[in-house]
Amino acid sequence: MNDLKGKVAIVTGAGSGIGRAIAELYAARGASVVVSDVDEVGGKETLRMIEEAGGSAVFRAADVSKPHENEALAESAMAHFGRLDIACNNAGIGGAINPTADYGIDDWQHVIDVNLSGVFYGMKYQIPRMLKSGGGSIVNIASILGAVGFANSPAYTASKHGLVGLTKATALEYGRHGIRVNVVGPAFIDTPLLKNLDQEMLDGLATLHPIGRIGTPLEVAELVAFLSSDAASFATGAYYPIDGGYLAQ
Ligand code: NAP
């Protein structure tokens, strides 16, 4: 399949996990990809993997919680490839685990800065460049915790619920201008984000999914690649779980 041929895409948090799988799949389907991450080692490894597979990509370091770094990232797509058609705002952190009354104020702010404000900054600078390119598709990565709560993760849950609302508002604003904006809600996915959990906790998480296991980054990337492509031309303003049945319970 070559359905992203000729398109230029940005993926944030592409140095690991879900973002890496999305960047690899975009490139495999023909897009030129701006691989971005705050982690230069991981980001450059993703770039190497894409190039080794014959894809087209560049790496650009950016911390999504810093507005000007988002602007520079969006501009780098124009500078390298001359246009911007697709953005996957994927970078995110799990944050501290604590009940609300014990949640540190700095911990709260950090999660909101990366997971919610980071996507606002991203879209703020991506949209004008997509408009110049004749339209585009933005896919934001939330979580099942954009739809339901999770005890001891108040900041993460709030940031991902906020991201669902932000996506809907932005979709309403730019639908007539040829930009679609959607948000994907993965359940638990096997990535380094879960590295602090021991095997017993991971086994417990698997049982929360009616399909009987946690997901893989590629299973999320397949949905994201579809929403990013012209095959999803009537899809905008929507939240798409990819969750092994988690939210059906
Ligand atoms: P991951 O493996 O930890 O990858 C996230 C990447 O984003 C890492 O390379 C990380 O760098 C980078 N990053 C962190 N803060 C950043 C910042 N301020 N600016 C730019 N990059 C930053 O996590 P993942 O599981 O692939 O998660 C990707 C997205 O999916 C996140 O938005 C997450 O909330 C969401 N998600 C994940 C799961 C899951 O179970 N894994 C479930 C639902 C939703 P460092 O390693 O240096 O921090």
Side-chain angles (χ1 to χ4, degrees):
M1 206 193 283
N2 228 3
D3 58 346
L4 300 181
K5 199 168 168 52
K7 299 202 185 277
V8 174
I10 290 173
V11 185
T12 67
S16 176
I18 295 169
R20 172 175 287 166
I22 292 165
E24 286 189 278
L25 194 56
Y26 278 170
R29 298 218 171 146
S32 297
V33 184
V34 182
V35 171
S36 184
D37 204 292
V38 73
D39 169 13
E40 296 211 11
V41 174
K44 286 179 179 164
E45 176 61 8
T46 303
L47 174 63
R48 190 195 62 75
M49 292 163 80
I50 290 174
E51 286 178 339
E52 208 169 275
S56 161
V58 294
F59 172 71
R60 171 90 201 197
D63 177 344
V64 297
S65 69
K66 305 218 165 87
H68 66 279
E69 295 196 18
N70 286 276
E71 184 173 22
L73 174 59
E75 194 48 38
S76 76
M78 307 302 278
H80 280 288
F81 298 118
R83 54 188 299 114
L84 179 61
D85 308 284
I86 296 168
C88 181
N89 294 304
N90 160 81
I93 55 171
I97 306 288
N98 262 318
T100 300
D102 300 327
Y103 213 84
I105 288 176
D106 288 349
D107 292 338
W108 166 271
Q109 197 57 54
H110 185 44
V111 173
I112 298 299
D113 284 350
V114 176
N115 290 7
L116 182 55
S117 300
V119 178
F120 163 66
Y121 303 144
M123 292 199 296
K124 177 173 175 56
Y125 296 112
Q126 291 152 5
I127 287 167
R129 290 160 178 91
M130 283 185 178
L131 291 172
K132 268 193 203 158
S133 307
S137 173
I138 297 175
V139 181
N140 298 323
I141 304 299
S143 164
I144 46 169
L145 306 186
V148 294
F150 202 72
N152 301 319
S153 286
Y156 188 86
T157 304
S159 71
K160 297 300 190 178
H161 274 69
L163 190 42
V164 173
L166 172 63
T167 299
K168 289 178 181 174
T170 310
L172 299 181
E173 294 157 0
Y174 292 98
R176 284 188 175 76
H177 302 281
I179 298 179
R180 296 181 298 102
V181 193
N182 291 289
V183 56
V184 165
F188 291 91
I189 306 297
D190 186 11
T191 76
L193 193 79
L194 306 185
K195 64 179 179 281
N196 292 333
L197 307 183
D198 60 28
Q199 195 54 48
E200 195 183 337
M201 289 167 89
L202 287 172
D203 292 345
L205 283 182
T207 66
L208 299 176
H209 303 71
I211 227 164
R213 61 174 176 82
I214 63 173
T216 68
L218 182 58
E219 288 173 317
V220 179
E222 289 283 359
L223 174 60
V224 173
F226 166 71
L227 290 171
S228 304
S229 77
D230 293 339
S233 50
F234 201 51
T236 196
Y239 168 72
Y240 296 88
I242 175 87
D243 69 349
Y246 189 107
L247 293 178
Q249 300 168 98

